[in-house]
Amino acid sequence: MARWAEEELNGINLGDRRRDKRAIALLDTLSARPTASIPGACSDWSETMAAYRFFGNDDITWEAILTPHWSCSRRRIAQHKVVLMLQDTTELDFNGQSISGLGPLSYEAQRGLYVHPTYAVSVDREPLGVLDAWMWAREPKDADGRRPGIKESTRWIEGYERVAELATELPTTRLVYVADRESDMIELMARASEMGQPADWLLRAQHDRALPDGQKLWQTVTSDEALGGIAFTMPARQGQKARPVRQQLWARVVDLPHGKNQTIRATCVVAKEIDPPAGSRPVEWRLLTNRPAETLEQVTELIDWYRARWEIEILFHILKNGCRIEALQLGTIAGLQRAIALYLMVSWRIAVLMRFGRTCPELPADLFFHEDEWHAAYLLHKKKPPADLPTLNQVLRLVAMLGGFLARKGDGEPGVKTIWLGLQRVMDCAIGLQFMRQADPG
């Protein structure tokens, strides 16, 4: 898979050509064995030490590592009419490790850092790349219980501003900023209005605001007749099986109070589940957006876009459980940030494989796998590689089966976990094939 690493980091400039080559080599190495430790992913001691020197080099910034990926992501975004810019925060727990520069997490005794990326996906949920990111460690609370430093909520507003700046560079693509409840801030909506709404915004509401007429927001919206209903399958999540969901939908234009005698105009959408199964929590969403939503079709589109927010949760799942980022043993927070920059690209790549395997199964396998790699997938199943080039889905299912995917009739398509586990075995076998060919050129 070295070809993709070279393409994704094309034009990287870390101030020294040797560093540039090392970054590409590391991205290839880590993507081949995403679940392994750094020593486990590297082929020998010298490569391991070179990796640790790279992560410990204070002349390299994590932003410089991600810069070429940001450029590639922009080019992919420009190929679509509408792109969803998903933002969320995840915490990385390094409690018990002696890493300098970490700060408290949800509990003051925990130690770690936060990552807040912007993740671009198409309306069909094709992962387009990571656009922008924040990485920071909190400062401990002072004697009065207050936390010094920049107010963390500003990252949501700055996140919109950066999406809006990108929107002005891509006039033929409509960018939609999508975020969960923590982003429900009137200051963000006001800032978007001040900028002229260059990018749309779609936020999950958490505040049942009082409107200028004294009525509450959510009751006001649902007091009208429902526009209609939708049905979809809620995907399986931790501790919950996939299940069908039916919702009724309401939408209304409202004026939200902002400061003294000021308002921000927005559309509020409410989606309430009808007849949830016994013992299940009803699926109910309340959304705020600048976009019009006068018809059932328009509201359904907004619900579909909000449901796509789950893709950033998949990215975090790969980063934390597939790449095992919280098991990294590096000496400083700066070293962690350099490693996280590479692993964000690895996580995106695994998400791409899963999505294309489902939505574009007939793509040729060599768009994503080197010949030795797809040959290895067949050989590990004790099958002779076909004479004709197989499809991406055929190879991906073989890879996932090596990671535990059973491929039974009702199992559907493989998920990210079985793909990342299977990739490790395939890459090891592919390296073996290359060594054999070098040892016996004839």
Side-chain angles (χ1 to χ4, degrees), residues 145-292:
R146 292 190 294 264
R147 195 180 304 283
I150 299 173
K151 193 175 181 181
E152 290 182 5
S153 60
T154 60
R155 68 185 181 273
W156 299 100
I157 300 173
E158 290 183 9
Y160 176 82
E161 290 174 341
R162 296 189 189 184
V163 170
E165 290 168 4
L166 179 61
T168 62
E169 300 171 12
L170 302 171
T172 61
T173 301
R174 190 66 183 174
L175 302 185
V176 184
Y177 175 94
V178 183
D180 216 6
R181 281 174 285 206
E182 197 177 347
S183 67
D184 179 13
M185 296 180 291
I186 197 70
E187 294 83 3
L188 189 157
M189 305 174 215
R191 180 62 181 137
S193 180
E194 290 171 7
M195 298 180 74
Q197 318 277 16
D200 291 326
W201 44 271
L202 177 62
L203 316 176
R204 186 171 180 182
Q206 66 172 329
H207 305 299
D208 189 13
R209 295 173 170 86
L211 300 178
D213 62 3
Q215 299 298 311
K216 286 292 190 176
L217 172 60
W218 299 336
Q219 184 179 355
T220 298
V221 175
T222 55
S223 64
D224 294 334
E225 185 176 348
L227 288 170
I230 57 170
F232 56 88
T233 298
M234 179 70 76
R237 306 186 182 193
Q238 190 172 11
Q240 299 178 1
K241 294 182 179 179
R243 68 177 182 87
V245 172
R246 292 188 305 124
Q247 289 180 319
Q248 274 192 309
L249 305 178
W250 291 263
R252 184 168 178 169
V253 175
V254 293
D255 291 316
L256 304 177
H258 173 47
K260 189 175 181 180
N261 301 322
Q262 296 184 61
T263 59
I264 298 294
R265 179 150 291 191
T267 300
C268 182
V269 172
V270 175
K272 288 187 175 183
E273 185 173 11
I274 307 167
D275 299 326
S280 296
R281 185 176 180 180
V283 178
E284 184 168 340
W285 296 319
R286 304 176 183 97
L287 309 176
L288 292 168
T289 181
N290 68 303
R291 291 182 66 90

